[in-house]
Each structure stands twice: as structure tokens, then as C-alpha cells.
Amino acid sequence: VVFKLRCSNGVQVKSYSPTLPVGNLVGDGIVNSAELELSSMYPGTSIAVVLEHKIGGVVDTMNGSSSRKGIDMPMVFFQSAVLYTTKTGQRRVRVSTLGLPTTKVPADIFRSADLGAVSTIFTRGAISDVERDGGSLRLARDNVFNKCVSILANYRSHTTARTSPSGQLILPESLQLLPLFCLSLRKSRMLRHSLPKGVTSAKPFPTADERAYHIFYGRMVSPNMSLQCVHPHLFQVSGLRTRDGDWITPPVLQENKFDEANVIAASMRPVCQLPKTMNPSIACL
């Protein structure tokens, strides 16, 4: 399987994320973007690419076109191509093209930010900081913190949030969960520090095998699962919503009194947490 991403003028591929991708890079990436060779690919495969501005800026190649009515800013285009072989031995090429309008207003960038994509880049970037020469868990945790602070500081400096009180934390609407994600990532089994040999602690610390497994999973995490990789979903059992799915509630005894129970559904380690005072018949759920 061969993957390649092409960009229009003004934008270029900086690197794949993590820096050492699960595959082989072909080409130097100076003239054209490097190709990524993979042993296999399935519908859930996620490839993260870091882009950067190119010298010369974005060129308005569609200036004067009638198809761009109401659009004043130039467009940037991305085209991905995947060359693969089917189970029957047929060689196929799947091409996807995406066109995005540019903007000079920083608020538009934050408004259109995707938390799943941002969290995926954060996770894979942290793993790159661990795996590279001279990297460490402390460096990865510090970079996660610094990136989060940089994003929030730029949002406050370049948008209408700069008129808010200085002591008030202002978050972009699309990135409301970014601080929570960064804190969870720093405390996850991927980046949590290990205890010295012979030292015991009541807090959970990952073993070498657990860290290796979570790092391996994080290197290939998709935008849909990046947040669940470090922070679980919470469902309230005593007050279920219809959008959470179809639930069957057993009959409750009149004399039964119990506290609210939460089901923690983690993507990698499902856990069910019930209060100690709950009736055994309810605990059978």
C-alpha cells in the first residue's frame, strides 16, 4: 500500500505524525511530498499529516471564476491517493480531493477547529517526543502543556476574547475540552512517569508492558478515538438518556435506596463503578 498527499501552491507537507510513522517514507519531500509505504490498510486506518506554509503564499488560481461566487479569499486544495491491492489481486487507486477556503481572521480558524484532529496530532506528537533521540516522558508532557497554553494564549490575543477580564479563562467553543484532554494525556499510561525500582506508591503507575501497549495504540489512534484513548465516557445509570442507546431497567424494590451509579466506558479498558451501598440485585447489571 502506497499513500501520497499532494497540496496546492502555498502549502506543503511538513511531516507525518508521529515522526517515525508505521511504514517507510520514500522520497526526500523537498520537491514533492514523500510517499508512505504501508504493509496493509483497513477502513479504520488513520494517517496524520502536519502541514506548513510554503514560501510564496497561497496563490488564487481561481480568480475571476464564476464558481466562486461570494468567496473572496483564495482556496487551498489537497489530494490524497492510495495505491493498494484487493484480495482478488486487482491493483486500484483511490483518490480523494478536498478544497478549503482560506481566511485572514484568526477567529475563523478557532471556530472551525476540530477537537478530534487536534487531539490526534497532540497524541502522536507526544509519542514522537518520547521516541526521538534525546526524547523523554518529561519532554513529552512539557510539550503537551506548552502547546495547549500557546493555543489558548493566541486565541485570547487575536480574537475578541482579549477584551475579557485578565483573570478569566476563555476557551474557543470548538476546543472546550482541550485543557481536559491535555491533562488526561499527561496523566495517561503513555506519558505518566514510572516509579524508581524498589519504591512503592498507592497511586497506579504503568508497567513497561502497559506503556508499550498504549504507545503502540496511540501511534495509530484516529480522531474518533483520540479523546477516549485517555479519558473515558461517563454514563449515568440512574438517569439514562434515550440518545445513549436502548437500555433495559430492571424493577426497583421499594425499600431499595442507593446512590447514583456511573458506568465508565473506556475505549481500551471498560470499567463499571458501583457504590458499596447498592443492592446486589442492581449490581448484577
Side-chain angles (χ1 to χ4, degrees), residues 182-230:
C182 292
L183 180 61
S184 301
L185 179 60
R186 284 166 53 90
K187 294 184 177 182
S188 66
R189 288 178 174 85
M190 288 182 285
L191 304 182
R192 186 183 303 169
H193 67 276
S194 301
L195 285 178
K197 187 176 181 180
V199 179
T200 59
S201 174
K203 298 181 181 179
F205 288 92
T207 62
D209 292 339
E210 289 178 336
R211 190 189 306 279
Y213 169 76
H214 283 78
I215 287 180
F216 175 79
Y217 182 87
R219 297 179 88 252
M220 302 178 294
V221 69
S222 64
N224 294 331
M225 299 299 296
S226 56
L227 186 59
Q228 287 77 9
C229 182
V230 297

Side-chain angles (χ1 to χ4, degrees), residues 6 17 24 33 50 55 108 120 131 135 146 148 151-153 162 166 174 187 193 209 215-216 241 243 274 277:
R6 300 172 57 196
S17 187
N24 298 322
S33 59
V50 180
I55 298 177
D108 293 341
T120 300
E131 295 178 339
N146 293 333
C148 181
I151 291 177
L152 299 183
R162 60 179 176 269
S166 58
S174 59
K187 294 184 177 182
H193 67 276
D209 292 339
I215 287 180
F216 175 79
R241 301 169 297 183
R243 68 180 185 180
L274 300 175
T277 58

Side-chain angles (χ1 to χ4, degrees), residues 22 59 84 213 240 284:
V22 187
V59 179
Y84 64 99
Y213 169 76
L240 300 177
C284 293

Side-chain angles (χ1 to χ4, degrees), residues 17-18 48-50 114-130 139-152 175 177-186 188 190-191 218-219 221-223 226-227 230:
S17 187
V49 180
V50 180
D114 184 87
L115 179 61
V118 174
S119 58
T120 300
I121 294 296
F122 270 44
T123 302
R124 298 191 179 195
I127 294 175
S128 297
D129 293 334
V130 175
L139 175 63
R141 292 194 298 268
D142 292 344
N143 285 344
V144 170
F145 174 79
N146 293 333
K147 290 177 182 178
C148 181
V149 172
S150 177
I151 291 177
L152 299 183
L175 300 177
L177 297 179
L178 181 62
L180 174 63
F181 166 78
C182 292
L183 180 61
S184 301
L185 179 60
R186 284 166 53 90
S188 66
M190 288 182 285
L191 304 182
R219 297 179 88 252
V221 69
S222 64
S226 56
L227 186 59
V230 297

Side-chain angles (χ1 to χ4, degrees), residues 74-123:
M75 301 276 292
V76 291
F77 297 92
F78 306 95
Q79 186 178 74
S80 64
V82 178
L83 174 64
Y84 64 99
T85 304
T86 63
K87 295 181 179 179
T88 59
Q90 296 179 346
R91 296 287 284 173
R92 295 181 180 179
V93 178
R94 177 166 299 211
V95 179
S96 301
T97 304
L98 176 65
L100 298 174
T102 59
T103 181
K104 294 182 179 179
V105 182
D108 293 341
I109 300 177
F110 289 100
R111 190 179 300 112
S112 59
D114 184 87
L115 179 61
V118 174
S119 58
T120 300
I121 294 296
F122 270 44
T123 302

Side-chain angles (χ1 to χ4, degrees), residues 53-68:
H53 290 283
K54 194 175 182 179
I55 298 177
V58 178
V59 179
D60 190 0
T61 58
M62 301 180 63
N63 188 19
S65 175
S66 59
S67 61
R68 298 182 66 244

